[in-house]
Amino acid sequence: DSGVTQTPKHLITATGQRVTLRCSPRSGDLSVYWYQQSLDQGLQFLIQYYNGEERAKGNILERFSAQQFPDLHSELNLSSLELGDSALYFCASSVTTGYLYNEQFFGPGTRLTVL
Amino acid sequence: DQQVKQNSPSLSVQEGRISILNCDYTNSMFDYFLWYKKYPAEGPTFLISISSIKDKNEDGRFTVFLNKSAKHLSLHIVPSQPGDSAVYFCAAPGGGADGLTFGKGTHLIIQP
């Protein structure tokens, strides 16, 4: 158990819909990262928040957005869903920013299926 | 453009022998590399890392080797155990600030 929790575990929805994925980081971790794992693309970095502020963007679509709340939990919002958005979405957290000695701990993921 | 490549989707090794997982990268700006291990229905778990100022880092049964001139790294597991059966990802920071760029993974199967 990494200490990172994600809800829900599974989500099935239809094209065109909007969903929200939730992540609670490990206690004390200020950074939250979102990743998408699809069959053809592998694990891709989407976005990072640090202490409530957006810190970095990766391959995140404009239809997707995220935020980190004062209690440090984070939500990833996916809208106008397409079949290709079906994937595993992982949240990770780390103590601070920077990559040296700042291990990212991953949650178990949310499996999104778009029908 | 895939900046971190793991060209072997799967690898089968006998229990007790050495497992060698390979990873190539294209971005010469990468200066830190990590290996993650992933079991089904779980998130990736950090295994070992190496900075580009080193060519080897060891942690118990796990050793990572880095060849900067070849832009290649490898993970050695000795001896391989049944619990090592998992998908192994090579990763490097570079997906934007601290975000990690991952390879597509190698499924390691340890046979008894």
Side-chain angles (χ1 to χ4, degrees):
Chain A
D1 184 355
S2 66
V4 178
T5 59
Q6 290 187 247
T7 55
K9 279 192 172 179
H10 302 278
L11 198 47
I12 300 174
T13 188
T15 54
Q17 295 298 304
R18 173 189 166 96
V19 297
T20 298
L21 312 184
R22 183 187 167 106
C23 168
S24 292
R26 291 186 325 152
S27 175
D29 283 0
L30 298 179
S31 272
V32 169
Y33 312 77
W34 287 97
Y35 291 85
Q36 178 194 57
Q37 185 181 24
S38 57
L39 277 174
D40 55 342
Q41 294 293 328
L43 259 167
Q44 289 203 93
F45 167 67
L46 296 179
I47 196 165
Q48 177 195 5
Y49 276 79
Y50 174 71
N51 205 20
E53 300 287 328
E54 181 184 303
R55 173 153 170 86
K57 273 186 172 178
N59 299 319
I60 190 165
L61 299 172
E62 284 194 15
R63 301 183 285 108
F64 296 0
S65 65
Q67 52 185 328
Q68 186 179 27
F69 295 86
D71 67 352
L72 301 176
H73 91 271
S74 177
E75 292 180 356
L76 179 67
N77 300 296
L78 315 176
S79 62
S80 304
L81 285 167
E82 302 175 0
L83 295 177
D85 298 327
S86 294
L88 258 175
Y89 291 84
F90 289 104
C91 168
S93 72
S94 69
V95 173
T96 181
T97 59
Y99 51 80
L100 287 176
Y101 312 113
N102 186 35
E103 180 186 337
Q104 294 183 29
F105 292 85
F106 283 75
T110 292
R111 181 171 292 281
L112 174 66
T113 303
V114 182
L115 301 176
Chain B
D1 178 32
Q2 214 182 336
Q3 298 188 69
V4 177
K5 299 178 186 179
Q6 294 177 258
N7 293 319
S8 300
S10 67
L11 175 67
S12 184
V13 174
Q14 260 194 317
E15 183 179 354
R17 307 292 279 265
I18 182 171
S19 295
I20 300 176
L21 296 98
N22 294 303
C23 177
D24 297 297
Y25 62 96
T26 58
N27 190 337
S28 56
M29 299 297 289
F30 287 158
D31 62 358
Y32 190 68
F33 301 90
L34 309 94
W35 284 93
Y36 276 80
K37 175 179 178 178
K38 185 183 179 306
Y39 292 119
E42 294 182 12
T45 302
F46 170 75
L47 198 55
I48 192 169
S49 63
I50 187 166
S51 165
S52 62
I53 62 172
K54 294 185 173 184
D55 53 19
K56 176 182 171 181
N57 188 27
E58 204 169 339
D59 184 2
R61 296 186 298 113
F62 302 91
T63 303
V64 56
F65 295 91
L66 175 61
N67 182 333
K68 289 185 289 294
S69 60
K71 294 194 180 74
H72 177 83
L73 59 156
S74 61
L75 174 68
H76 293 212
I77 306 174
V78 184
S80 300
Q81 298 175 353
D84 297 331
S85 294
V87 178
Y88 290 79
F89 293 96
C90 171
D98 314 330
L100 297 174
T101 298
F102 282 86
K104 290 197 174 182
T106 296
H107 185 194
L108 176 65
I109 301 160
I110 305 301
Q111 294 187 334

